[in-house]
């Protein structure tokens, strides 16, 4: 089953056209890795999917569970189940992490016609996930990302993912700035979410993360297009020959 | 994000703009000795008070309106204002208060019937120039606490008034304070005797109602040795096309080991987005930490008024005395605020804290102006100042003018200032988690104000949050 279907997408940021007729389909239960050289359009692709304000869509379409989403507001897409783990999570001073997360979860539950969680119920849920991720209990009371180390920020992104239980999960350079312990904790969190229904889009510059999260497909992105799709064996080839080698061989 | 969309998100409707339909006694516009005699007579004042008023008026005539604030407004015509307005019916007790006033206060969220009130909060209700009722006075008097209108205090406690009025804010302190000294009408008087911790929160709610009148309130709070009181004031006014002047004076005195916590939620009518209408709010507030180890803490949430000119200050005279100023000032529409504090360190080991949060949206202009002065004998004085500004949109402004005068080189003064914009990245982050734009703006703003709101008594913190939401959010889309 296809969860996200990107068709011939053309998009620009400012005056610069970055996506040039990109096609990509994400399958339920699969991990798709997007690799590509700097400036290929990797982050732009993730922005286009979540409806970032920088983007202007020039052509093509994005379907999520069969419905076009390019006219939808960012929050609607989120409520429908599309989640982006940010490369650089922004700091929001004074906003309590638990309060923020409960607000987000309850917005989603409301959208799904479910009952909202009260503070006690939510804290129980949050504490469970904190333990799993090896995060300290003070993550409940600290301000959202404020003064967090690089590793804490990324773990906090994964915490949000675990709590919000989205269906399409985009991980933008989730491994950047992580030490080996954090990388392991983050990967475990992600692997736990693999349940045969969700799709993962792992955007990465390096193959290191793919030792921890086993990809089903590797897509090579260059000049705003997917230029090659293959199985996980492509990782080794990329390591050896680099992007140029692979693309020239096409 | 489209800037007009953001504007829509921050131009909340003024919800308290209704008018109370009561008959009002209004003095004809104009200001001279006769006006002052008229006010004094209306209030049944003793002769000495009238003499002080006239002295202030004579001084005021020689003074000039100050214009050093970063404020731009049409000149005030002091002769076109009416200086006294009062609901016609003069009540002897709450039973006689015009039901329309009780109804109006209920609408403002302040029930005046004692049994309906929030537990533990006593209220002085002031409409235009007079206090219409004061609740729980009897209960408080059992503890020796005096809580009444300033007019009653002048008649009933002349010795206390003579001793302390003008002792913190001298009659000729500044143009607006001197005007107030001449024409002040009502306000609150509080006296907490030695060793008493005031058993309830005291509060005054000021309501401007009559057309074309100024409100000149005067409040005096005295905390005797070892006593404590928490006092709160709120204010609102009808929506009108004309500007109305509000020039208040507040004086606080703390003796040895005493503490006053003074909180303000100011929500005067702000005018419209073109600057039409709105209250001109020129206020002098000052506290004197007279005794050793005493403390005065000002917390203000300023969301209303077209013009705000206000610097609640502390004179730290007693050794080890402590002054605090926590402020959230919001300017949206075409509002302008020039506000801050003065911390005057005179005693040894005195310390002060200034936390100022300015929020500007639409065409709002927000200025922090603060003075930290350390006297020659104030050895080991310490000050910490933090001034943060938050800009929403690109047509507003934030300005910071911190002044420091130090005669003591051992003192420790720290100043931090930041200006930040609600960034598109912050908004987008929250929206990507499914939080709509309106809630996202409100979450960021509340986070910004957290340090100040945490200083307010619980009920008022809730009110302040709701008010901020109303002021800044309105309806998106």
């Amino acid at each position: 089953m296809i969860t996200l279907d990107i068709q011939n997408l053309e998009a620009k940021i400012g005056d610069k056209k970055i996506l040039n007729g990109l096609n990509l389909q994400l399958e339920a239960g699969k991990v798709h890795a997007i690799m590509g050289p700097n400036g290929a359009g990797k982050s732009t692709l993730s922005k286009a999917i979540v409806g970032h304000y920088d983007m202007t869509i020039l052509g093509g379409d994005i379907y999520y569970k069969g419905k076009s989403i390019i006219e939808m507001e960012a929050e609607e897409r989120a409520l429908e189940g599309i989640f982006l783990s940010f490369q650089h999570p922004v700091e929001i001073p004074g906003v309590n992490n638990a309060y923020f997360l409960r607000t987000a979860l309850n917005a989603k539950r409301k959208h799904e016609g479910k009952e909202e969680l009260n503070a006690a119920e939510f804290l129980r849920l949050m504490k469970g996930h904190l333990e799993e991720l090896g995060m300290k209990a003070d993550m409940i009371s600290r301000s959202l990302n404020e003064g967090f180390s690089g590793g804490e920020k990324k773990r906090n992104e994964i915490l949000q993912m675990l709590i919000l239980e989205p269906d399409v999960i985009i991980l933008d350079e989730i491994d950047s700035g992580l030490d080996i312990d954090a990388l392991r904790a983050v990967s475990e969190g992600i692997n736990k979410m693999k349940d045969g229904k969700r799709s993962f889009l792992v955007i990465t510059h390096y193959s290191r993360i793919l030792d921890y999260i086993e990809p089903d497909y590797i897509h090579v992105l260059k000049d705003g297009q997917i230029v090659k799709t293959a199985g996980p064996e492509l990782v080794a080839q990329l390591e050896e020959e680099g992007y140029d080698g692979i693309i020239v061989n096409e | 994000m489209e800037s007009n969309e953001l504007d829509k998100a921050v131009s909340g409707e003024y919800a308290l703009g209704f008018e109370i339909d009561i008959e009002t006694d209004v003095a004809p516009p104009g200001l001279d000795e006769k006006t002052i005699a008229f006010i004094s007579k209306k209030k049944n004042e003793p002769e000495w008070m009238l003499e002080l008023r006239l002295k202030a008026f004579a001084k005021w005539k020689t003074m000039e309106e100050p214009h050093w604030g970063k404020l731009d407004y049409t000149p005030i015509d002091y002769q076109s204002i009416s200086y006294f307005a009062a609901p016609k019916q003069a009540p002897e007790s709450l039973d006689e208060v015009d039901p329309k006033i009780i109804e109006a206060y209920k609408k403002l969220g302040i029930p005046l019937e004692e049994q309906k009130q929030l537990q533990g909060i006593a209220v002085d209700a002031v409409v235009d120039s007079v206090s219409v009722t004061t609740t729980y006075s009897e209960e408080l008097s059992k503890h020796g606490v005096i809580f009444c209108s300033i007019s009653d205090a002048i008649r009933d406690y002349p010795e206390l008034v003579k001793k302390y009025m003008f002792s913190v804010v001298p009659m000729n302190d500044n143009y607006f304070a001197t005007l107030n000294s001449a024409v002040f009408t009502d306000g609150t008087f509080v006296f907490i005797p030695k060793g008493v911790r005031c058993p309830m929160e005291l509060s005054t709610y000021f309501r401007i109602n009559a057309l074309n009148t100024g409100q000149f309130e005067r409040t005096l709070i005295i905390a005797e040795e070892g006593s404590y009181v928490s006092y709160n004031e709120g204010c609102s006014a009808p929506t009108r096309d004309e500007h109305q002047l509000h020039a208040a004076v507040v004086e606080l005195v703390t003796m040895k080991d005493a503490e006053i916590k003074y909180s303000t939620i100011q929500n005067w009518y702000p005018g419209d987005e073109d600057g039409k209408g709105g209250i001109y709010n020129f206020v002098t507030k000052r506290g004197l930490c007279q005794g050793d180890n005493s403390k005065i803490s000002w917390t203000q949430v300023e969301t209303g008024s077209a013009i705000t000119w206000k610097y609640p200050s502390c004179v730290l005279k007693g050794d080890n005395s402590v002054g605090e100023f926590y402020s959230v000032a919001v300017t949206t529409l075409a509002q302008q605020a020039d506000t801050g504090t003065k911390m005057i360190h005179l005693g040894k080991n005195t310390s002060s804290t200034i936390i100022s949060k300015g929020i500007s949206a639409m065409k709002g202009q927000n200025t922090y102006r603060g003075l930290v002065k350390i006297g020659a004998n104030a050895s080991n004085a310490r000050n910490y100042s933090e001034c943060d500004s938050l800009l929403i949109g690109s047509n507003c402004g934030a300005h910071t003018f911190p002044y420091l005068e130090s005669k003591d080189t051992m003192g420790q003064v720290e100043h931090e200032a930041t200006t930040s914009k609600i960034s598109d990245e912050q908004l987008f982050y929250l929206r990507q988690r499914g939080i709509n734009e309106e809630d996202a703006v409100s979450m960021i703003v509340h986070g910004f104000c957290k340090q100040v709101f945490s200083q307010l008594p619980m009920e008022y913190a809730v009110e302040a949050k709701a008010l901020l939401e109303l002021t800044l959010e309105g309806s998106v889309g």
Side-chain angles (χ1 to χ4, degrees):
Chain A
M1 199 185 87
I2 306 298
T3 52
L4 197 75
D5 185 359
I6 303 173
Q7 295 183 359
N8 207 18
L9 190 66
E10 295 181 36
K12 65 173 186 173
I13 290 181
D15 292 333
K16 199 171 171 211
K17 194 171 174 200
I18 298 178
L19 300 182
N20 296 298
L22 183 144
N23 291 290
L24 178 68
Q25 294 189 323
L26 301 188
E27 293 175 23
K30 302 292 184 197
V31 175
H32 297 254
I34 298 269
M35 302 187 69
N38 282 333
K42 298 194 295 290
S43 285
T44 305
L45 172 60
S46 71
K47 283 181 172 175
I49 298 170
V50 297
H52 192 274
Y53 55 88
D54 272 353
M55 303 296 308
T56 310
I57 304 290
L58 301 170
D61 212 332
I62 303 174
Y63 296 91
Y64 171 68
K65 295 181 178 172
K67 237 172 24 183
S68 170
I69 58 167
I70 53 167
E71 295 295 332
M72 274 163 81
E73 294 288 342
E75 55 265 43
E76 275 179 81
R77 300 186 202 200
L79 292 171
E80 288 288 326
I82 298 175
F83 179 91
L84 170 64
S85 163
F86 286 81
Q87 185 179 356
H88 303 290
V90 65
E91 301 193 3
I92 308 188
V95 173
N96 175 285
N97 202 27
Y99 174 72
F100 150 69
L101 255 171
R102 185 159 76 95
T103 306
L105 176 60
N106 280 338
K108 183 153 191 260
R109 290 181 69 94
K110 202 172 159 193
H111 183 74
E112 291 164 354
K114 294 182 192 160
E115 202 142 311
E116 297 185 17
L117 292 190
N118 66 32
E121 291 165 334
F122 177 77
L123 273 185
R124 222 169 299 135
L125 173 74
M126 184 170 175
K127 275 182 183 158
H129 288 306
L130 283 174
E131 257 168 55
E132 285 165 19
L133 289 168
M135 292 168 83
K136 288 189 200 133
D138 69 358
M139 281 295 166
I140 292 169
S141 55
R142 287 175 70 180
S143 293
L144 179 51
N145 294 326
E146 193 186 21
F148 285 21
S149 70
E152 283 174 329
K153 281 183 183 166
K154 291 298 171 75
R155 284 187 211 219
N156 205 39
E157 294 290 292
I158 298 307
L159 173 71
Q160 294 171 41
M161 175 191 81
L162 290 173
I163 286 174
L164 296 173
E165 302 186 315
D167 295 326
V168 164
I169 296 161
I170 306 162
L171 302 158
D172 192 0
E173 305 280 358
I174 187 70
D175 54 335
S176 70
L178 288 192
D179 62 27
I180 205 82
D181 287 340
L183 187 59
R184 196 166 288 140
V186 160
S187 312
E188 274 169 22
I190 293 166
N191 287 326
K192 248 190 68 182
M193 292 290 280
K194 287 207 244 172
D195 64 350
K197 289 184 209 132
R198 300 173 216 281
S199 302
F200 291 85
L201 187 62
V202 182
I203 295 174
T204 182
H205 196 63
Y206 302 103
S207 56
R208 186 175 70 149
I209 184 76
L210 302 177
D211 294 339
Y212 295 87
I213 313 165
E214 221 175 292
D216 297 294
Y217 299 101
I218 306 289
H219 308 276
V220 177
L221 178 61
K222 190 171 183 285
D223 300 330
Q225 287 182 319
I226 301 291
V227 293
K228 189 176 176 70
T229 294
E233 69 282 353
L234 188 64
V235 178
Q237 200 190 338
L238 271 172
E239 296 249 293
E240 246 170 63
E241 302 175 23
Y243 293 110
D244 289 342
I246 298 261
I247 294 155
V248 170
N249 285 345
E250 280 302 297
Chain B
M1 174 190 293
E2 290 290 314
S3 74
N4 58 356
E5 209 175 304
L6 198 53
D7 282 354
K8 242 191 292 172
V10 296
S11 61
E13 289 278 301
Y14 186 70
L16 306 180
F18 62 87
E19 198 170 330
I20 313 173
D21 177 24
I22 44 169
E23 277 193 76
T24 311
D25 249 341
V26 185
L31 179 57
D32 56 21
E33 282 80 359
K34 270 187 239 155
T35 319
I36 290 163
F38 173 82
I39 293 170
S40 192
K41 185 153 179 254
K42 274 273 173 196
K43 300 197 144 312
N44 272 326
E45 283 179 355
E47 187 61 28
W48 59 267
M49 192 68 242
L50 175 60
E51 277 166 25
L52 287 170
R53 286 177 180 278
L54 291 171
K55 204 172 134 191
F57 182 62
K59 177 72 192 172
W60 181 73
K61 283 192 288 189
T62 69
M63 295 168 93
E64 262 177 57
E65 194 182 290
H67 286 283
W68 43 260
K70 200 170 163 51
L71 302 167
D72 182 18
Y73 55 95
T74 45
I76 302 166
D77 178 0
Y78 294 90
Q79 293 305 331
S80 73
I81 299 171
S82 166
Y83 288 81
F84 186 87
K88 251 190 181 145
Q89 210 186 9
E92 285 293 314
S93 72
L94 187 64
D95 301 339
E96 293 174 21
V97 175
D98 191 323
K100 283 176 185 159
I101 293 179
I102 294 182
E103 191 54 36
Y105 267 79
K106 203 188 276 169
K107 224 161 150 184
L108 297 168
I110 305 152
L112 294 176
E113 299 100 321
E114 288 185 1
Q115 66 275 17
K116 289 192 191 153
Q117 285 181 8
L118 292 167
Q119 205 83 55
I121 300 178
V123 184
D124 181 10
V126 176
V127 177
D128 295 323
S129 306
V130 293
S131 164
V132 288
T133 185
T134 307
T135 66
Y136 288 111
S137 289
E138 252 171 71
E139 170 71 21
L140 288 164
S141 69
K142 287 182 199 152
H143 299 266
V145 172
I146 303 172
F147 176 54
C148 64
S149 71
I150 197 95
S151 307
D152 286 348
I154 289 166
R155 290 190 299 266
D156 300 342
Y157 310 100
E159 295 315 313
L160 284 172
V161 173
K162 275 185 200 166
K163 186 168 173 191
Y164 291 108
M165 190 183 268
F166 308 121
S167 76
V168 184
V169 178
M171 185 185 276
N172 57 1
D173 189 80
N174 68 69
Y175 188 79
F176 295 104
T178 305
L179 174 63
N180 175 288
S181 302
V183 301
F184 74 89
T185 43
D186 228 329
T188 306
F189 177 78
V190 178
F191 177 84
I192 314 288
K194 189 171 166 179
V196 170
R197 198 179 162 85
C198 186
M200 48 181 90
E201 296 275 337
L202 303 185
S203 66
T204 306
Y205 197 92
F206 296 98
R207 176 73 183 176
I208 293 179
N209 197 57
L211 190 72
N212 193 33
T213 52
Q215 191 177 52
F216 305 91
E217 93 219 23
R218 189 153 192 123
T219 289
L220 175 58
I221 302 177
I222 301 144
E224 287 279 39
E225 188 176 326
S227 68
Y228 169 84
V229 63
S230 170
Y231 172 90
N232 313 278
E233 62 170 356
C235 16
S236 63
T239 300
R240 294 242 166 78
D241 287 348
E242 301 79 24
H243 296 292
Q244 278 180 285
L245 178 63
H246 171 259
V249 171
V250 173
E251 295 174 282
L252 313 181
V253 184
T254 51
M255 302 306 170
K256 188 165 176 278
D257 300 323
E259 179 177 349
I260 297 176
K261 199 171 160 48
Y262 191 107
S263 310
T264 303
I265 295 180
Q266 186 264 103
N267 188 24
W268 295 120
Y269 175 57
D272 70 8
E273 61 182 72
D274 299 317
K276 195 171 177 192
I279 302 294
Y280 284 173
N281 191 33
F282 291 87
V283 171
T284 304
K285 290 185 170 175
R286 196 173 303 152
L288 171 64
C289 285
Q290 169 129 6
D292 293 351
N293 316 313
S294 64
K295 180 175 173 183
I296 288 176
S297 180
W298 298 101
T299 303
Q300 61 173 21
V301 177
E302 304 278 321
T303 61
S305 296
I307 301 284
T308 297
W309 180 97
K310 179 182 170 189
Y311 316 89
S313 304
C314 297
V315 180
L316 305 171
K317 192 173 166 198
D319 290 348
N320 314 310
S321 59
V322 176
E324 293 176 340
F325 174 74
Y326 298 96
S327 170
V328 167
V330 183
T331 51
T332 179
L333 304 162
Q335 288 174 278
Q336 303 171 62
D338 191 308
T339 183
T341 185
K342 286 188 275 185
M343 292 291 174
I344 315 291
H345 293 254
L346 301 175
K348 294 183 182 65
N349 304 315
T350 47
S351 69
S352 59
T353 304
I354 299 170
I355 307 284
S356 163
K357 305 276 179 180
I359 301 168
S360 313
M362 299 183 77
K363 286 185 279 179
Q365 292 292 326
N366 212 320
T367 299
Y368 168 80
R369 188 183 303 276
L371 168 68
V372 175
K373 189 170 179 175
I374 298 182
N377 298 319
S379 57
N380 200 29
R382 296 176 308 281
N383 164 267
Y384 175 74
S385 302
E386 192 183 314
C387 306
D388 301 320
S389 307
L390 186 66
L391 303 174
I392 305 174
S394 47
N395 298 322
C396 55
H399 320 275
T400 303
F401 300 105
Y403 303 94
L404 171 67
E405 287 174 32
S406 182
K407 294 204 168 87
D408 177 72
T409 49
M410 301 293 285
Q412 197 189 335
V413 176
E414 278 176 69
H415 181 87
E416 286 181 30
T418 67
T419 298
S420 48
K421 246 184 118 140
I422 285 196
S423 74
D424 292 340
E425 282 298 332
Q426 286 176 325
L427 271 180
F428 185 73
Y429 186 88
L430 298 178
R431 292 175 66 205
Q432 210 300 303
R433 296 304 185 244
I435 298 169
N436 69 46
E437 189 177 317
E438 194 178 329
D439 289 348
V441 169
S442 136
M443 200 178 263
I444 295 167
V445 169
H446 283 160
F448 180 75
C449 300
K450 198 181 191 175
Q451 270 171 297
V452 174
F453 284 177
S454 66
Q455 295 296 325
L456 290 168
M458 184 69 143
E459 299 81 3
Y460 296 91
V462 172
E463 188 190 331
K465 269 191 187 178
L467 176 60
L468 195 66
E469 230 152 72
L470 204 65
T471 309
L472 279 178
E473 277 131 49
S475 52
V476 174

